[in-house]
Amino acid sequence: MAPSGDNSQPWRFVVTGSKLKIYNLPEKDNPYLNFMQSGSLVAHGALLKNIEITSLKMGLMPEISLFPTNDANLVSEVSFHNDDTERDTSLFEFIPKRATNRRPYENKPISEKDFNILNEVKIFNDLSLHFVNDPESKKRAGAAGSSAEIVILENSLLHEYLFRDVMWSKKQENRERHGLYIKTMEFNPIQKVLFRLAGNKTIMNFAKKIRFPYFIAKQDAVLYSTGATIGLLNLKKISPGNFVELGMAMEEIWLKAASLGLSFQPISATLFLGFKLRSDPADKVLSQEHKKIVYRSYAEIFSAFKLEKSDVPLVMFRIGYAKDPSARSSRKEPVIETTA
């Protein structure tokens, strides 16, 4: 039930006695945005947070070891020990309730008490949490976050990856149980038709000429700036373990938001694009025009959140009050291997 990029669920489980080994499946997520497996490892962090909360609810103390061997795909090994200490497990009931909500949010502030709860998250050494609440900063962050739509729709490779993972019907969603279920996108009937047409490369080539992706990004910029606050999780140092720990913090914030009756939507594509270009400026996939869009939007996020040049922001999200999402993405049943 943990979130993952495009609902890719990039994990495999092996149980040996009372130990659980969790492997990453590198091929599952978007290979361009998932640079250095950063997106998948953030998802593994969210998974581990769910395991931690569930274990405590069951009276078990989980001992989590990250990257215990030289196998880069063995992300974690979890040992379980009996523990009858009374602990706060109130977030457990919100694991199945947590969802991405892409509806418009009310521009209603969060109470100081609830905002403090969102801030009371386990923050690891190389991680920092930031929020912007004023309308101007939210507008800037929302516009920067929406610019990724232009790049993804106009670039042929990223366009292919996006539409490859769309589940167009409930029947397909129930069968595949992964990917982006179209109903979770919260499109009105006209938007749904336009989005389906955008999946055709010939039509998309024409749409680019009339700057249709810019129109989509402009609409999303308004949507993303709605809500009480926009948050950001930032790394001070890049490492596989830090990606995982960032995911654990993200999931804790998300579950706390759900417990407070708040909706949550990650808007991180621009940050993953910025991270890719920052690490690989000679990238041949994006055009110079698209690189300029990413660099400009990336810099705008740094400015809106007052980050330092050495920072590596990786996850941005909006939080606020909204109607419940129209649908939720399904999950595959976990494949659990056992060894002696």
Side-chain angles (χ1 to χ4, degrees):
M1 294 182 180
S4 54
D6 292 346
N7 192 27
S8 55
Q9 304 164 66
W11 33 66
R12 179 171 70 91
F13 305 95
V14 177
V15 174
T16 304
S18 64
K19 289 186 178 181
L20 172 65
K21 294 182 178 180
I22 306 173
Y23 290 84
N24 183 40
L25 301 177
E27 72 281 3
K28 284 290 186 177
D29 206 348
N30 181 316
Y32 187 83
L33 291 179
N34 194 26
F35 181 64
M36 293 178 62
Q37 293 296 307
S38 52
S40 288
L41 294 178
V42 168
H44 273 264
L47 172 71
L48 286 169
K49 177 54 66 173
N50 284 0
I51 287 173
E52 178 185 271
I53 293 168
T54 304
S55 301
L56 295 174
K57 180 69 174 179
M58 297 172 67
L60 299 171
M61 173 58 69
E63 182 181 332
I64 299 172
S65 177
L66 298 181
F67 302 99
T69 70
N70 291 329
D71 183 350
N73 290 328
L74 178 53
V75 175
S76 58
E77 186 175 88
V78 188
S79 300
F80 300 91
H81 310 282
N82 290 321
D83 188 318
D84 57 5
T85 306
E86 188 172 335
R87 302 179 188 277
D88 180 9
T89 58
S90 57
L91 292 181
F92 172 76
E93 66 175 289
F94 296 97
I95 291 176
K97 296 177 182 179
R98 178 211 60 80
T100 296
N101 192 336
R102 297 182 176 91
R103 286 184 181 273
Y105 293 2
E106 297 178 36
N107 288 314
K108 173 184 172 183
I110 300 170
S111 70
E112 184 178 353
K113 177 184 176 182
D114 287 353
F115 195 72
N116 287 337
I117 290 173
L118 292 176
N119 270 289
E120 291 171 0
V121 172
K122 183 178 180 181
I123 296 296
F124 300 87
N125 290 335
D126 294 317
L127 185 63
S128 59
L129 172 62
H130 307 260
F131 288 100
V132 291
N133 305 317
D134 63 284
E136 181 58 30
S137 295
K138 288 193 296 178
K139 183 179 179 180
R140 293 168 62 195
S146 73
S147 68
E149 271 85 279
I150 299 169
V151 179
I152 291 170
L153 287 172
E154 291 192 343
N155 180 276
S156 59
L157 181 64
L158 298 183
H159 177 277
E160 180 182 337
Y161 289 147
L162 169 63
F163 286 93
R164 175 193 67 182
D165 292 326
V166 176
M167 300 293 113
W168 293 102
S169 68
K170 186 62 180 173
K171 182 178 179 180
Q172 184 186 17
E173 158 77 0
N174 287 338
R175 182 180 68 249
E176 301 294 338
R177 305 189 74 78
H178 72 86
L180 288 170
Y181 178 31
I182 187 65
K183 201 169 180 182
T184 68
M185 305 297 283
E186 302 294 349
F187 291 142
N188 63 41
I190 294 174
Q191 289 172 322
K192 185 177 179 180
V193 170
L194 291 174
F195 186 72
R196 184 137 204 174
L197 290 173
N200 182 296
K201 286 192 174 182
T202 301
I203 294 175
M204 195 63 232
N205 286 334
F206 170 74
K208 284 159 63 175
K209 294 178 181 179
I210 62 173
R211 296 175 69 83
F212 177 69
Y214 284 82
F215 172 74
I216 294 295
K218 189 173 182 180
Q219 285 194 318
D220 283 347
V222 175
L223 177 70
Y224 294 164
S225 64
T226 65
T229 186
I230 295 182
L232 180 141
L233 283 162
N234 172 63
L235 288 177
K236 296 292 183 180
K237 182 180 177 183
I238 297 170
S239 74
N242 283 349
F243 294 147
V244 175
E245 290 176 349
L246 185 150
M248 294 183 75
M250 177 193 73
E251 180 73 344
E252 185 177 345
I253 296 167
W254 204 331
L255 292 172
K256 285 191 172 185
S259 75
L260 297 169
L262 293 164
S263 294
F264 187 108
Q265 181 190 0
I267 42 177
S268 300
T270 297
L271 293 178
F272 281 100
L273 287 169
F275 175 51
K276 172 67 169 70
L277 291 184
R278 180 178 180 173
S279 305
D280 182 20
D283 170 78
K284 302 297 184 184
V285 172
L286 299 189
S287 67
Q288 289 302 314
E289 178 186 353
H290 287 159
K291 285 183 179 181
K292 287 179 182 178
I293 290 173
V294 174
Y295 284 132
R296 184 169 59 246
S297 299
Y298 198 55
E300 185 72 356
I301 291 170
F302 270 72
S303 176
F305 286 93
K306 297 179 172 58
L307 302 179
E308 298 178 1
K309 287 184 178 180
S310 59
D311 288 341
V312 185
L314 211 59
V315 169
M316 187 165 71
F317 50 88
R318 65 184 180 119
I319 294 177
Y321 297 95
K323 293 181 180 178
D324 289 340
S326 300
R328 296 165 181 265
S329 294
S330 299
R331 297 292 193 274
K332 289 180 176 292
E333 289 297 319
V335 177
I336 303 176
E337 303 170 28
T338 57
T339 62

